[in-house]
Amino acid sequence: IEELKAAHAKQLQDAAALYASEREALSRSHHDAIRQFSLTAVQQREQIEDLQGQLQAAFKARQLADLKHAEALDAVQARLDQVQRDWERKYAALEAKLVVDIEAERAKIRDLMAQLARLQEQHRSELAAMEEKTARLLDERIQEHRASLKTMQDKYDVDLRALREKYEKQLTIAHGEVAF
């Protein structure tokens, strides 16, 4: 047991030493990475400052070019204003024409709706007449069928009576023969 404890203690010491060595290496690597990042950040800051200088120079050049073209832009703006006024006049004329056209179309639609209402009323009248005619024809057919059924019932009753009389006679004869 003492030997196992000693071996276990030795393993723990070896593991602790390995951990400390790994930690030291990682710490050194981390510090190196931070130092490299700091150097890169300084270089990038210098590049940004250089680019800002170039951007300011380009902006100043642009301002000078803008000042030179201000008169040309004013002329273009005046032409655009004239085109817009012309367009607004044309738009107003088109809008007035469209209002007139829409009102004319509405009048046509009202006429069509009135025609449709007349046709619907005519259709209702024709439909009512057809329904009345159909009901009358159906009533006539029912009466015909009832008369036909009555005739068939009467014939059946006559045939049944004749058959009953025939069998009653035969039974009477048969009873008479049996009694004889």
Side-chain angles (χ1 to χ4, degrees):
I1 289 176
E2 290 301 322
E3 286 177 11
L4 282 174
K5 282 182 182 179
H8 184 63
K10 174 75 171 128
Q11 286 177 348
L12 286 176
Q13 285 175 350
D14 290 345
L18 181 63
Y19 172 73
S21 136
E22 292 278 333
R23 191 169 139 205
E24 182 65 28
L26 186 61
S27 177
R28 271 193 307 270
S29 171
H30 182 65
H31 287 301
D32 289 343
I34 289 173
R35 194 172 321 117
Q36 182 63 34
F37 179 74
S38 296
L39 288 174
T40 303
V42 168
Q43 290 172 349
Q44 286 180 349
R45 187 177 324 124
E46 290 171 354
Q47 288 175 351
I48 289 171
E49 287 171 357
D50 185 42
L51 288 172
Q52 282 177 340
Q54 291 176 13
L55 183 61
Q56 285 176 352
F59 182 70
K60 286 179 184 177
R62 178 68 184 177
Q63 283 180 331
L64 289 175
D66 286 348
L67 289 174
K68 289 178 183 178
H69 295 295
E71 290 179 7
L73 289 175
D74 288 342
V76 168
Q77 184 63 47
R79 177 67 183 134
L80 285 174
D81 291 343
Q82 181 61 42
V83 168
Q84 184 173 358
R85 284 189 297 274
D86 292 345
W87 184 84
E88 286 172 352
R89 265 194 314 277
K90 288 178 184 177
Y91 177 78
L94 285 173
E95 187 177 27
K97 183 183 182 313
L98 185 61
V99 167
V100 170
D101 290 347
I102 288 173
E103 193 53 42
E105 288 299 319
R106 285 182 178 162
K108 287 179 187 177
I109 289 171
R110 283 191 294 270
D111 289 344
L112 289 173
M113 293 299 284
Q115 287 177 9
L116 179 62
R118 285 190 300 273
L119 288 173
Q120 284 176 335
E121 185 57 37
Q122 180 183 355
H123 178 69
R124 277 192 214 109
S125 299
E126 290 172 359
L127 186 61
M130 287 174 68
E131 286 176 352
E132 184 179 320
K133 183 178 178 181
T134 302
R136 191 177 64 249
L137 288 173
L138 184 60
D139 192 44
E140 289 173 3
R141 287 287 176 107
I142 290 172
Q143 294 302 326
E144 288 173 7
H145 282 294
R146 283 184 181 159
S148 174
L149 283 174
K150 177 72 172 135
T151 303
M152 288 172 62
Q153 182 68 38
D154 291 346
K155 183 178 182 310
Y156 173 76
D157 288 345
V158 168
D159 289 347
L160 187 63
R161 249 184 265 127
L163 191 59
R164 183 179 293 146
E165 288 173 2
K166 177 182 171 185
Y167 283 119
E168 284 177 357
K169 283 181 185 176
Q170 287 179 358
L171 272 174
T172 304
I173 292 172
H175 281 300
E177 289 177 358
V178 168
F180 181 66

